[in-house]
Amino acid sequence: MSRTLPFTKGHGTGNDFVVVADPDGVVDLSAEQVAALCDRHVGIGADGLLRVVRSAAIDEGAEAAASGVEWFMDYRNADGSPAEMCGNGTRVFTRYLVESGLASIDDGLRIGTRAGVKTLTRSERGYEVDLGTWRIEEGETLVRARGLDVSRPGVGIDVGNPHVVVALSSHTELDALDLAYRPILDPEPRGGANVEFVVPSDPLVRDGVGALRMRVFERGVGETLSCGTGVAAAALAVRHWAGPAAPDRWQVDVPGGTLGVRITTEADGEHVLLSGPAVLVYSGEVALA
């Protein structure tokens, strides 16, 4: 037996999502159903699914609900697995809430995620999300990827979800990567990680803004045109490598467009903020098995 499921398709710099409105938490999608919806051959096609649910209607939203946050972003990867956060997804999620009349962003909008409550505001690029504090993981991870002659060292960056960032020597080397195959990490982080390959610009800084180019393999998805938290992690890694004189504002080019990153100092430590566009492409209905 099948039923009809309304949805909206959206994207942020090509990182695309199926958005499902479920305010009261009555749509129980299995991992197999999410994977089928995200399948690019026989489904709608997307890098992941965003379920729009009230914080009080999902167990993982209890802390957000207790702090007065109405909406929770239940993000699932394209393979159906849940993920802690999605930077591009927060902007698409917010755009959907605003366009649907479910929330206002005039004074900032707080949304719940598995990585805690995130605040979004409007920006010149579209929307900006405060991803919160971040940290560098101890130790070094060796990354082996098809198209690289030898394994390369990577630095672990946690921005609410796990990343390993690898610096490459040239755009030619970046373009030669075959990310149809999952990079091998040694040691493999518990729960896996997104892997970003970056080439810093030359010169690195212009007018006080750092710049770099990036490709990404997302955990549970594969290569995507963009990864918001990955962009933030990449900028933080290059800033770390560049030393104390490195800027706090960055521009990151990904295959799907350009995103902005800035770092601010708050009472609880450094926060990383991500800005970029959010586009709602179309809405429809799909038969859900």
Side-chain angles (χ1 to χ4, degrees), residues 125 171 198-214 231 234-239 241-242 246-254 258-261:
R125 293 182 183 271
H171 295 290
V198 303
V199 177
S201 295
D202 184 16
L204 179 62
V205 181
R206 287 183 178 174
D207 300 323
V209 179
L212 60 109
R213 183 176 164 229
M214 182 193 95
V231 161
L236 289 167
V238 175
R239 175 176 176 262
W241 291 325
D248 291 332
R249 299 181 71 92
W250 293 82
Q251 177 175 296
V252 181
D253 292 330
V254 294
T258 302
L259 292 163
V261 175

Side-chain angles (χ1 to χ4, degrees), residues 2 50 88 90 107 131 141 146 174 184 192 211 215 229 242:
S2 64
L50 306 172
N88 289 324
T90 61
D107 298 318
L131 298 174
T141 301
R146 181 164 292 203
L174 184 65
I184 304 301
R215 289 176 64 190
T229 54

Side-chain angles (χ1 to χ4, degrees), residues 101-166:
L102 296 173
S104 169
I105 197 173
D106 292 342
D107 298 318
L109 175 66
R110 296 193 301 157
I111 64 171
T113 75
R114 291 185 179 88
V117 173
K118 308 302 176 185
T119 300
L120 287 103
T121 55
R122 294 191 186 276
S123 81
E124 60 183 13
R125 293 182 183 271
Y127 296 97
E128 182 176 65
V129 56
D130 184 345
L131 298 174
T133 57
W134 63 283
R135 71 174 186 272
I136 294 179
E137 304 288 6
E138 294 183 2
E140 186 177 79
T141 301
L142 287 178
V143 179
R144 181 158 50 94
R146 181 164 292 203
L148 292 182
D149 51 356
V150 296
S151 297
R152 304 296 172 87
V155 61
I157 302 282
D158 190 299
V159 290
N161 59 354
H163 297 266
V164 174
V165 184
V166 180

Side-chain angles (χ1 to χ4, degrees), residues 20 22-29 49-66 69-76 82-83 93 111-114:
V20 174
D22 181 27
D24 299 320
V26 297
V27 178
D28 184 17
L29 295 173
L49 183 141
L50 306 172
R51 185 167 67 116
V52 181
V53 60
R54 286 193 171 89
S55 298
I58 180 172
D59 290 343
E60 293 154 303
E63 186 174 340
V69 175
E70 182 175 9
W71 296 103
F72 187 91
M73 183 183 78
D74 177 17
Y75 176 62
R76 310 277 287 278
F93 186 88
I111 64 171
T113 75
R114 291 185 179 88

